[in-house]
Amino acid sequence: MKIKCLIIDDEPLAINVIKNYIEQIEDLELINTFSNSIEGLNFLKNNTIDVIFLDINMPVLDGINFIKSLENPPLLIITSAYDQFAIETYELDVLDYLVKPIEFPRLMKAVNKINKRLNNTSKLPAENSKENAFIFVKIDKKKMKKIFLNEILVIESLKDYLKISTTSGKFIIHSTLSDFTSLLPERDFIRIHRSYTIAIDKIDAVEGNSIEIEGLRYVIGRSYIDEVKQKILNSSI
């Protein structure tokens, strides 16, 4: 099922930028756009939306007061030319804050947060939600690749890049290990070294200070070893 999106922004150019980005992501569906928050508020009375891309500086009703007026708000992504509202909006449980001009990779990071939040709050049984959970990664200038979390084996840091090894292939993306790991469910993944994050359920064996996954060994860093072994033990039946 696609994620239903709404854009509320009084700048036509900003609406077009986000609209074009959404159209490139197959799991997102843009339901409507509004140039003022009053129209958006009226629309929400009779329609269900998963996420709103919301500007702050708008006439009549600004973005912050718009959020405060919602009884059961959907996920909220702020899209603003100014960063001074970030603290105030995070106190309103905003999922992410994008500063204009918004680049596609930055919006994709927000989309992955959306996927993570929706997967974590899914009403499906835990095993089903994990099986269907996914994340989008940019593997070249034009292509976004959907990777299912239950296929990930190891994420390896290559300085400014990552190599993601999965059961269906390997992919190189531009990201840091810390940023990428933060998008993954903590119950299913753990960082074992400054260069590696691994999927706990893909571990075949633990011996000394190393972990074996599909015949390959990965060293556990000294500063990680206690936490890693404790989490592995806690994950066992």
Side-chain angles (χ1 to χ4, degrees):
M1 185 176 295
K2 291 193 174 185
I3 298 170
K4 296 179 180 180
C5 303
L6 190 68
I7 301 173
I8 303 177
D9 198 312
D10 64 342
E11 299 178 32
L13 179 59
I15 288 178
N16 287 335
V17 168
I18 299 172
K19 179 181 177 181
N20 290 335
Y21 288 163
I22 289 174
E23 289 174 348
Q24 296 180 56
I25 305 170
E26 62 179 13
D27 286 273
L28 299 186
E29 179 183 4
L30 181 60
I31 302 301
N32 214 330
T33 68
F34 295 103
S35 59
N36 72 74
S37 53
I38 300 297
E39 292 178 351
L41 200 59
N42 291 331
F43 179 82
L44 289 172
K45 291 179 181 178
N46 301 306
N47 296 274
T48 301
I49 293 294
D50 297 309
V51 59
I52 300 176
F53 292 89
L54 176 68
D55 190 17
I56 293 291
N57 289 329
M58 290 184 289
V60 186
L61 183 68
D62 63 39
I64 290 175
N65 285 305
F66 170 84
I67 295 171
K68 291 178 179 179
S69 70
L70 299 176
E71 292 185 5
N72 297 298
L75 298 180
L76 297 162
I77 306 293
I78 298 299
T79 58
S80 176
Y82 309 96
D83 60 7
Q84 65 262 36
F85 304 108
I87 294 177
E88 184 175 1
T89 55
Y90 278 124
E91 291 175 351
L92 297 172
D93 197 30
V94 165
L95 185 62
D96 207 345
Y97 194 107
L98 310 184
V99 178
K100 300 173 183 176
I102 301 168
E103 299 292 336
F104 188 65
R106 182 63 185 88
L107 182 128
M108 277 309 308
K109 186 174 181 179
V111 171
N112 285 327
K113 287 184 179 182
I114 294 169
N115 289 325
K116 183 178 179 181
R117 177 73 67 87
L118 293 178
N119 287 326
N120 286 345
T121 58
S122 173
K123 295 181 181 179
L124 296 173
E127 61 271 17
N128 289 338
S129 61
K130 180 182 175 183
E131 180 181 350
N132 297 324
F134 59 86
I135 191 169
F136 276 100
V137 298
K138 190 172 185 180
I139 59 175
D140 60 36
K141 292 183 178 180
K142 297 183 178 180
K143 186 173 183 180
M144 303 298 300
K145 173 69 177 176
K146 178 195 284 186
I147 296 179
F148 288 95
L149 300 189
N150 65 346
E151 294 185 356
I152 295 177
L153 302 169
V154 178
I155 305 106
E156 179 182 356
S157 175
L158 305 173
K159 292 186 177 181
D160 295 330
Y161 293 85
L162 297 179
K163 179 171 71 175
I164 305 174
S165 298
T166 75
T167 55
S168 59
K170 297 181 180 180
F171 309 95
I172 303 295
I173 68 169
H174 182 64
S175 180
T176 66
L177 188 58
S178 295
D179 285 347
F180 191 83
T181 301
S182 70
L183 299 173
L184 302 173
E186 292 183 4
R187 69 182 184 276
D188 300 322
F189 295 86
I190 188 168
R191 188 166 180 173
I192 65 168
H193 189 277
R194 64 181 182 180
S195 298
Y196 300 107
T197 290
I198 57 97
I200 296 173
D201 66 349
K202 298 301 190 297
I203 297 173
D204 295 317
V206 180
E207 183 178 353
N209 67 337
S210 67
I211 286 174
E212 182 178 333
I213 299 177
E214 293 205 339
L216 298 177
R217 288 191 174 274
Y218 301 89
V219 174
I220 305 172
R222 288 184 180 180
S223 61
Y224 297 87
I225 194 161
D226 290 339
E227 179 184 356
V228 170
K229 290 192 174 182
Q230 185 63 44
K231 190 165 186 177
I232 291 172
L233 287 173
N234 290 341
S235 68
S236 302
I237 298 175

